[in-house]
Amino acid sequence: MDFKSLIMNGRSVRNYKDTPVDAKKLTELEQYVSECKKLDDSIEVETRFFAGDDTYKRLYGIAGYKGVMIEAPNYLVLLSEDKPHHLENAGYVGERAILKARDLGIDSCWISYSDRNAVKNTLGIDTDKEVVALIALGYASSEKKIEGAGKTGDNYSQSNLSVSKGSSDRIALEEMVFIDKWGNSATAEVLEERALLDAFSYSRMAPSSLNKQPWRFIVDGGKVVLAINNENYSGSYANKIDAGIIMLYFGVILDVTMFDSKWGFDEIEKDYGIPENYKVVGYCNI
């Protein structure tokens, strides 16, 4: 897959045609998720696909913004073992599934929910794994066009996570990436010298809940440290999903431009001067 092109053409679609996704494409997507690179291969994940109308009616009041569901012809439910960092892994795998769906010509949208057990029980999913992601799949309808980031109080199901071509609404590299310590802003020239400019530039385009873009990076020699802003979130789910998504965006570009990326979660004791409202969630050796 051409990850750079897929990221550049990213958009979140909340209005769909009635046309169901071709069964062969769903099978290809299912196989891709089962075989694709993950943050932690020891965490078992699986996908379940559900047809639109009945699923939409059953999940109405359970999933979506204030219970208002996104109506789509198909839905993907991602299930996971409950292990350390399984939600970061869910963000990583769920967004990778979205990129693959885009590669297959399928539009998509993250849908939020407040009760994972209610989703599982309502859909009759019999498994010990927990629901970690709900994603709408289909083909964008031109009848209604919604652009721009969601308003405060919205969530994944309501926030438009697409990126404008000019990326004018995206955080600047100098604000997102620091060298050696917090506040020592990186420049494009320095990042290019370290062969990291592409990875960080495409990371800027990652979607996030409420379009908060909560991530910050510190480049410390051969290590890239990721910190996430914990303020203005309703819970840890959004934080961890966002962390997994940004790890994917940085990682897939590193994979195609330099070498196979690997994220670690061991505690880092070094003092980088990170503010109290940010938390280190992982690091990538480069």
Side-chain angles (χ1 to χ4, degrees), residues 13-245:
V13 172
R14 299 188 299 279
N15 298 283
Y16 296 89
K17 298 177 181 178
D18 294 332
T19 308
V21 176
D22 183 85
K24 291 182 179 179
K25 290 188 176 182
L26 293 180
T27 299
E28 185 174 349
L29 183 57
E30 180 180 24
Q31 182 176 356
Y32 176 80
V33 172
S34 69
E35 299 174 351
C36 73
K37 180 179 178 179
K38 301 171 178 64
L39 277 180
D40 186 342
D41 288 329
S42 72
I43 301 174
E44 292 185 8
V45 298
E46 62 178 283
T47 53
R48 301 282 180 92
F49 293 95
F50 294 86
D53 187 58
D54 180 62
T55 303
Y56 166 72
K57 292 176 180 177
R58 292 163 72 183
L59 289 179
Y60 202 95
I62 295 174
Y65 177 57
K66 294 183 178 179
V68 180
M69 262 293 284
I70 299 296
E71 188 170 6
N74 297 90
Y75 299 92
L76 182 159
V77 176
L78 185 66
L79 303 165
S80 171
E81 290 184 293
D82 184 357
K83 289 184 174 181
H85 311 298
H86 75 294
L87 289 179
E88 290 91 341
N89 191 61
Y92 188 96
V93 175
E95 189 66 20
R96 190 180 276 276
I98 284 175
L99 292 177
K100 178 60 179 178
R102 191 174 301 151
D103 186 53
L104 294 171
I106 304 168
D107 294 306
S108 62
C109 174
W110 285 85
I111 301 176
S112 64
Y113 51 88
S114 58
D115 188 336
R116 62 179 183 268
N117 289 325
V119 173
K120 186 162 70 170
N121 294 334
T122 299
L123 296 179
I125 300 174
D126 184 16
T127 178
D128 291 334
K129 296 183 177 70
E130 70 173 56
V131 174
V132 289
L134 175 61
I135 297 170
L137 299 171
Y139 304 102
S141 171
S142 59
E143 294 181 2
K144 184 178 179 182
K145 185 178 181 181
I146 300 177
E147 297 179 346
K151 298 178 181 179
T152 302
D154 291 352
N155 54 28
Y156 271 107
S157 68
Q158 291 292 297
S159 298
N160 189 333
L161 303 181
S162 63
V163 178
S164 64
K165 292 299 180 183
S167 296
S168 58
D169 59 339
R170 311 310 293 177
I171 188 173
L173 275 175
E174 293 81 359
E175 187 180 350
M176 186 179 79
V177 187
F178 306 118
I179 302 295
D180 297 330
K181 64 179 181 179
W182 191 274
N184 187 24
S185 297
T187 64
E189 292 74 18
V190 168
L191 294 177
E192 187 170 22
E193 289 174 359
R194 302 190 182 202
L196 294 173
L197 182 58
D198 272 3
F200 283 121
S201 295
Y202 283 93
S203 294
R204 292 176 62 239
M205 302 177 191
S208 59
S209 179
L210 307 179
N211 195 30
K212 287 290 187 179
Q213 303 170 69
W215 36 72
R216 300 293 184 272
F217 297 90
I218 298 174
V219 180
D220 178 16
K223 180 178 295 183
V224 172
V225 178
L226 170 65
I228 295 287
N229 190 333
N230 285 319
E231 287 185 335
N232 302 318
Y233 277 85
S234 59
S236 63
Y237 176 82
N239 298 49
K240 293 178 179 180
I241 292 293
D242 282 349
I245 291 174

